Amino acid sequence: MPLLKERSMHQQHDVIIIGGGPAGCAAATSLARYRWNTLIVDRSMAGSFLASLGNVSFFPGFPESISGQELLRRMRRQAELSGAHLVSDAITGLARADGRWQLTTESGKPLDTRVVVIATGAGTRTNYLQGERELLGRGVSSDAMADGPAVLKRAAAVIGKTRHAAEEALALTRFAEHVHFIIPSSKLEADEHLAEAVQKHRAIEAYYSASLKKINGDDHVHSITVLTGGHEKEIPVAGVFTYIHEHRPSTGFLEKTVELAHAGAIKVDRGLATSAPGVFACGDALCGKPQLPVIAASQGVLAGISADKYLSTPA
Ligand SMILES: Cc1cc2nc3c(=O)[nH]c(=O)nc-3n(C[C@H](O)[C@H](O)[C@H](O)COP(=O)(O)OP(=O)(O)OC[C@H]3O[C@@H](n4cnc5c(N)ncnc54)[C@H](O)[C@@H]3O)c2cc1C
């Protein structure tokens, strides 16, 4: 196995995919099926955020849900069975020379390719709440559409102060019978109309200037500990939806190679081509907030189709 890895690091590749999460695996599978020599380079094979999700509750084809780790293992296996190779390394930069791309790596091994697909995701920048990371996908979520059904006719908590948090609190009232909205500020950072809708909703109980101290649970969330009005209070809930982390696409290593939008998100056209020739991008690296794994994977397929067209066009 190491021998194959060594060899694949020194070959000239048709495509190098940076990142082996759902977006990168889907792009690799599409391109390897078209018989392009495809390499996935991932800094840490457990680096995908998907791997930390205890449960992925909305991925087409898995009605009983599946753990993030198992879903990722299957995606990587599918890419390998299609003919793609996977190596553990981090890409530190890319430069154009003679119509090809030269990639530098953390290990020092240079890589050479015609096409690059960037699928590096959006790493989280701020610290987790106590209990949050352990219970991700086990009652802790950041997506009301994916995980709202799990709190049907039960109590849920939302933590955040932004417009997005307010929209998600309202969306959760379609499922939960009571939504405890913990707002770590004296007011919502949302327009008046939205703030009023939250305030007036019968199923939402808003706690202003409050902080969430802890998410409690063993196998699944069962309550939260909140500091409100100077007192700690334990509130039973079946799910906690967090909107307090700042996310930033992992695109720092691209420097001036491709055009970036706000907060480091990669700018792409409708076919997911970036501003640089032969460089495509997909998944959470395209936006400053986490999407659903199925969206990242779909974008990976689209990037793969576009990259195939590019590779198939005579230079
Ligand atoms: C905080 C948070 C909470 C979430 N909660 C949920 C949830 O509850 N339910 C749900 O369904 N989805 C959730 N998601 C969304 C889901 O995890 C993502 O949408 C999905 O994993 C994105 O796929 P991706 O392939 O774009 O990126 P990722 O899965 O993040 O994969 C990116 C990969 O790129 C690699 N990488 C990064 N930089 C480099 C580099 N320079 N060189 C080499 N490799 C590199 C990383 O190691 C990683 O493996 C959450 C995401 C986050 C961030």
Side-chain angles (χ1 to χ4, degrees):
M1 221 28 193
L3 228 134
L4 175 63
K5 286 184 179 178
E6 285 297 308
R7 215 174 53 218
S8 50
M9 292 293 278
H10 285 100
Q11 280 172 358
Q12 284 203 328
H13 298 279
D14 295 318
V15 191
I16 290 180
I17 295 173
I18 314 175
C25 288
T29 301
S30 320
L31 285 155
R33 287 171 78 91
Y34 278 128
R35 305 189 59 78
W36 297 113
N37 181 327
T38 305
L39 178 72
I40 303 177
V41 183
D42 196 303
R43 107 160 1 114
S44 135
M45 285 301 172
S48 164
F49 200 84
L50 187 60
S52 58
L53 288 176
N55 212 6
V56 180
S57 47
F58 176 52
F59 199 91
F62 294 94
E64 282 86 27
S65 91
I66 180 167
S67 80
Q69 215 164 28
E70 175 58 13
L71 183 58
L72 195 59
R73 193 190 65 75
R74 291 186 191 205
M75 286 175 174
R76 286 180 180 168
R77 181 94 188 105
Q78 192 173 20
E80 284 184 308
L81 286 175
S82 302
H85 296 294
L86 259 88
V87 292
S88 296
D89 208 337
I91 302 299
T92 50
L94 45 155
R96 189 98 169 134
D98 301 327
R100 294 182 66 88
W101 287 100
Q102 317 294 321
L103 276 59
T104 49
T105 63
E106 210 162 71
S107 69
K109 288 176 187 158
L111 293 169
D112 175 280
T113 183
R114 270 185 76 193
V115 159
V116 176
V117 178
I118 303 161
T120 46
T124 182
R125 291 169 75 200
T126 49
N127 292 337
Y128 287 95
L129 297 160
Q130 198 180 338
E132 185 182 5
R133 193 162 186 119
E134 300 80 347
L135 291 162
L136 264 172
R138 299 177 203 279
V140 173
S141 172
S142 299
D143 196 294
M145 196 268 277
D147 294 303
V151 295
L152 193 67
K153 296 188 177 151
R154 298 160 84 190
V158 170
I159 163 93
K161 60 180 180 177
T162 59
R163 177 189 175 86
H164 184 48
E167 284 168 347
E168 291 281 273
L170 284 165
L172 275 167
T173 60
R174 292 178 217 176
F175 309 99
E177 68 178 15
H178 198 85
V179 176
H180 299 275
F181 190 3
I182 318 301
I183 304 162
S185 169
S186 57
K187 68 187 206 42
L188 274 171
E189 288 169 9
D191 57 53
E192 224 172 279
H193 186 65
L194 189 61
E196 201 178 298
V198 165
Q199 200 57 45
K200 285 191 173 155
H201 204 292
R202 277 186 302 127
I204 298 180
E205 187 174 350
Y207 304 70
Y208 289 93
S209 304
S211 63
L212 205 163
K213 304 304 285 180
K214 202 173 155 205
I215 301 173
N216 309 302
D218 303 316
D219 239 20
H220 199 274
V221 168
H222 59 63
S223 66
I224 50 171
T225 306
V226 180
L227 180 66
T228 174
H231 301 285
E232 277 199 9
K233 184 174 168 182
E234 188 172 343
I235 304 172
V237 289
V240 183
F241 294 77
T242 61
Y243 306 97
I244 47 171
H245 302 295
E246 195 183 337
H247 299 280
R248 177 169 270 271
S250 311
T251 53
F253 68 101
L254 295 170
E255 287 185 359
K256 296 192 173 88
T257 326
V258 302
E259 205 179 327
L260 302 178
H262 67 96
I266 302 171
K267 273 193 179 174
V268 285
D269 67 12
R270 289 180 64 176
L272 304 186
T274 70
S275 59
V279 180
F280 299 82
C282 48
D284 284 6
L286 302 184
C287 54
K289 62 177 182 147
Q291 316 178 86
L292 289 173
V294 63
I295 297 176
S298 312
Q299 290 172 343
V301 175
L302 178 56
I305 292 169
S306 300
D308 169 64
K309 275 195 194 131
Y310 180 91
L311 284 161
S312 307
T313 307

